[in-house]
Amino acid sequence: MTAIISKELRTYFTQMSGYIFLALTIFITALFYVFINVFQLSPNFHFVLSNVTILFFIIIPTLTMRLFADEVRNKTDQLLYTSPLPIWHIVVGKYIAAAALFMIAMAVTMLFPLISANFGTLPFSQIVGAYIGYILIGLGFISIGLFISVMTENQIIAAVATAGAIFITFLLESLAAGMPADATSSLVFLIVCSLILGGVLYNSTKNIYGGIILAVLGIAVSVAFYLVNPLMYDGLIPGAFRWFSVFTRFDNMTNGVLHLADIVFYITMPIFFIYLTVNVIEKRRWK
């Protein structure tokens, strides 16, 4: 795995993608710092981090678009798939390399609040909370970009698709407001989710019976609860969209409030998408 991490880090700095990523992240963060903290004499650096979440649309695709797409385009992916290394070592190694570059950029931006601290008292609990949230979101989005990169050999398509996926996460809170909140719609939503989970299980294991059992069990439980107390399903769809909203949880952290559920959610995101990436490669490996 160390060899994979070293190779990916070298690639970032032998190509332009690493420099572009660092330059964009530091420069735009510095601009917001100057306008919010310096010009307005504000000690609230967490406002800067809240505003630069817009950077994720640009920097994450720049960071992840080549991770696997470049291997496929250069026909070097077969060398990876036939190597003695376990597939998950390759995937995690690439992920760690991208995450390391992201953390380097974050470390540089930490100089800004340290500079401000020389001129007054800062709300460090809110700044620390915002940094924890921002880093966790970035690590989650890197895993999404990693997964999308393995799905295509075109870096531009990988970048656009990653930006689109990140954009959808921004919209979840707004979409929740427009979702139906009645119990019947919620039941249909749960039935669809059960079918999807059954399909995912079958796709991962090729065990059709396991997929069918999971789907049928999910539908049966959903219908049973609906028949017992349909009122418990009121507002379930908007609630589910808000629960998956990455940036609603981030708002809590910028206020200096760290909930265990939020941290677990952010940690689960990269685990889930790394698993999907490994699963996709394993299928290709044995075709």
Side-chain angles (χ1 to χ4, degrees):
M1 187 186 297
T2 305
I4 297 291
I5 297 171
S6 300
K7 170 186 171 294
E8 292 301 322
L9 286 174
R10 282 197 306 271
T11 303
Y12 277 124
F13 292 107
T14 54
Q15 298 180 3
M16 289 300 296
S17 58
Y19 297 104
I20 291 171
F21 168 79
L22 290 173
L24 279 174
T25 304
I26 297 167
F27 177 70
I28 296 178
T29 304
L31 280 181
F32 276 94
Y33 170 71
V34 170
F35 284 118
I36 294 175
N37 294 136
V38 178
F39 288 171
Q40 299 180 28
L41 300 178
S42 170
N44 300 314
F45 186 77
H46 53 288
F47 289 170
V48 173
L49 293 176
S50 295
N51 280 277
V52 296
T53 52
I54 195 71
L55 267 178
F56 286 130
F57 288 115
I58 304 171
I59 63 173
I60 298 300
T62 301
L63 191 60
T64 62
M65 64 183 183
R66 50 153 296 278
L67 286 174
F68 279 104
D70 202 39
E71 301 280 4
V72 176
R73 183 176 61 84
N74 294 327
K75 308 301 181 185
T76 56
D77 56 319
Q78 293 304 318
L79 295 176
L80 289 177
Y81 302 159
T82 56
S83 73
L85 282 175
I87 291 297
W88 73 268
H89 278 205
I90 297 170
V91 174
V92 173
K94 285 178 174 286
Y95 174 78
I96 290 174
L101 191 60
F102 175 71
M103 294 301 294
I104 290 170
M106 290 296 97
V108 174
T109 66
M110 289 177 185
L111 294 174
F112 301 135
L114 292 177
I115 292 170
S116 296
N118 292 316
F119 302 96
T121 303
L122 303 184
F124 273 108
S125 63
Q126 293 171 299
I127 293 173
V128 170
Y131 258 114
I132 292 173
Y134 194 88
I135 289 170
L136 290 175
I137 291 172
L139 295 177
F141 285 161
I142 289 170
S143 68
I144 293 175
L146 179 77
F147 171 66
I148 292 174
S149 180
V150 84
M151 304 295 288
T152 178
E153 64 181 43
N154 189 305
Q155 293 188 37
I156 302 302
I157 293 175
V160 171
T162 301
I166 293 172
F167 181 67
I168 290 172
T169 65
F170 272 87
L171 293 180
L172 283 179
E173 184 67 27
S174 300
L175 290 173
M179 290 292 107
D182 60 283
T184 303
S185 297
S186 298
L187 176 62
V188 173
F189 173 74
L190 288 176
I191 290 173
V192 171
C193 289
S194 299
L195 292 171
I196 292 173
L197 288 174
V200 169
L201 179 62
Y202 168 69
N203 189 54
S204 301
T205 64
K206 294 303 178 185
N207 185 335
I208 190 169
Y209 298 109
I212 291 173
I213 290 171
L214 179 62
V216 171
L217 183 62
I219 292 170
V221 171
S222 300
V223 172
F225 276 107
Y226 178 80
L227 293 175
V228 171
N229 184 11
L231 293 178
M232 69 185 296
Y233 281 13
D234 286 341
L236 187 145
I237 300 178
F241 273 68
R242 292 190 183 95
W243 191 86
F244 282 106
S245 175
V246 170
F247 294 100
T248 299
R249 298 172 184 275
F250 180 60
D251 290 340
N252 294 332
M253 292 185 170
T254 57
N255 292 320
V257 179
L258 298 179
H259 292 300
L260 180 61
D262 295 338
I263 294 173
V264 170
F265 174 85
Y266 286 129
I267 292 174
T268 303
M269 191 190 307
I271 294 173
F272 175 71
F273 282 102
I274 287 172
Y275 165 77
L276 291 181
T277 305
V278 171
N279 190 257
V280 168
I281 296 174
E282 287 286 5
K283 288 181 179 177
R284 290 179 183 170
R285 189 178 194 180
W286 297 112
K287 278 186 178 180

